[in-house]
Amino acid sequence: MTTTLTPRRSRPPAQPASLRARRLPGYAAPALAALALLVAAGIVYGVDLGGPVLVVVLGAVLYLAGLFVAANAVEGRRSARNRFWSALIHSALVLAVLPLASVVWTLVSKGTARLDGDFFGSSMNNIGARDANGGAYHAIVGTLEQVGIATAITVPLGVLCAIYIVEYGRGRFAFTIRFFVDVMTGIPSIVTGLFVLAFWVLIVSPWFNDGQPGFSGFAAALALSVLMLPTVVRSTEEMLRLVPAPLREGAYALGVPKWKTILRVVLPTALPGIVTGIMLSIARAAGETAPVLLVAGGGAAINFNPFENNQSSLALFVYQQAGEASKYSPARAWTAALTLVVLVLVLTVAAKLLARRNRLGR
């Protein structure tokens, strides 16, 4: 007599406790955020403590506290901690973006008042306090010429200096160069303006101006190049150090000279980061006011010659218009500020696209 053994059906494995744990519904976080903002608005505006910025900050604090309490009650302390720190990171991101968004909104809302042909096609020459016309054409020309000359001076010098520090520099001399570059990073802009004023305007320029010192856009470019140089050197140095050593070693193994390896392998690899550092230095130089005021003098007329006579810039134009006792000056100042930001943004995007195209082409 044979007996047939039927296999027992195995029970499905027990579901882990973590999968059966209770969780907050998906709408809980947005609902808590909205409730926190309402409570914060009621507190701030009810007691008259401040404006919308304080409402957002207080709302973020209440949201974090409420989310931790709700998650702790429903999901447990471990999950509550995870939710709290995640929400804290996202809240910090929002609080960091808010000032930038506020600046952009203010620039766009107030800077479009004078976006017309007269603003971009005329200067402030013979424009009085009661005249609604006048523009920043002379300041735009000055900014492009001064920043262009400063870039032409700074970029080759800064890149070559960084190449020497990374590829050739050894010992005390390289350490000394790096030390002075770090010191130059913290020099105030007005100090560079005073240096160029004392050296170029008062000593060198009389040789070319019949013994008389004179302001010029080139002097402003020299001051801006002093400000740009440490940024270009440090950013280029860091980008060159990030290039993998096997790329250099592979080129050396093929018999490529060191200078050609740097030119054909190292620099193209680090080019996007180098371009970013250069554009950061250009953005800083374009927004400087004190050096231009000290060594270029500013001016209301159009001057295409950067080596003679006074010359203005957009940053200096904004400073002068903001201090003018005229009801038309604030609109000019805001439009000039918007123009400066857009100009730097266009140059940055163009440089990034050019660097990317060159890298893909290689």
Side-chain angles (χ1 to χ4, degrees), residues 55-68:
V55 170
V56 174
V57 174
L58 182 59
V61 174
L62 294 178
Y63 166 70
L64 292 174
L67 183 63
F68 180 80

Side-chain angles (χ1 to χ4, degrees), residues 146-296:
Q146 294 163 19
V147 175
I149 294 173
T151 304
I153 296 173
T154 305
V155 171
L157 185 61
V159 172
L160 290 175
C161 182
I163 290 175
Y164 172 78
I165 293 174
V166 176
E167 302 292 340
Y168 297 97
R170 298 293 184 273
R172 293 184 178 180
F173 185 65
F175 174 79
T176 303
I177 294 177
R178 191 179 296 109
F179 172 76
F180 279 106
V181 169
D182 292 338
V183 171
M184 289 176 62
T185 305
I187 294 179
S189 59
I190 194 169
V191 175
T192 62
L194 290 173
F195 167 73
V196 174
L197 176 66
F199 172 69
W200 183 265
V201 176
L202 299 180
I203 297 178
V204 179
S205 66
W207 297 353
F208 309 97
N209 197 27
D210 297 330
Q212 297 294 325
F215 294 148
S216 64
F218 181 74
L222 290 179
L224 296 180
S225 64
V226 175
L227 294 174
M228 294 172 61
L229 184 60
T231 303
V232 174
V233 173
R234 292 298 293 169
S235 60
T236 305
E237 179 187 353
E238 295 300 326
M239 291 302 105
L240 294 178
R241 292 187 186 279
L242 292 178
V243 176
L247 292 180
R248 297 182 176 89
E249 296 169 356
Y252 297 153
L254 294 174
V256 181
K258 187 171 186 177
W259 67 269
K260 189 174 288 188
T261 300
I262 296 172
L263 186 62
R264 297 296 183 87
V265 177
V266 178
L267 286 179
T269 305
L271 185 61
I274 295 175
V275 171
T276 300
I278 292 173
M279 296 313 302
L280 287 175
S281 65
I282 290 177
R284 182 191 178 186
E288 289 294 342
T289 303
V292 182
L293 181 63
L294 283 175
V295 300

Side-chain angles (χ1 to χ4, degrees), residues 113-124:
R114 282 298 313 275
L115 282 178
D116 48 41
D118 181 69
F119 182 83
F120 294 103
S122 63
S123 66
M124 292 297 295

Side-chain angles (χ1 to χ4, degrees), residues 332-357:
R332 298 191 196 107
W334 281 112
T335 305
L338 178 61
T339 303
L340 180 59
V341 172
V342 172
L343 180 63
V344 173
L345 178 63
V346 170
L347 291 176
T348 303
V349 173
K352 281 290 196 180
L353 293 177
L354 182 61
R356 181 183 178 187
R357 180 180 179 183

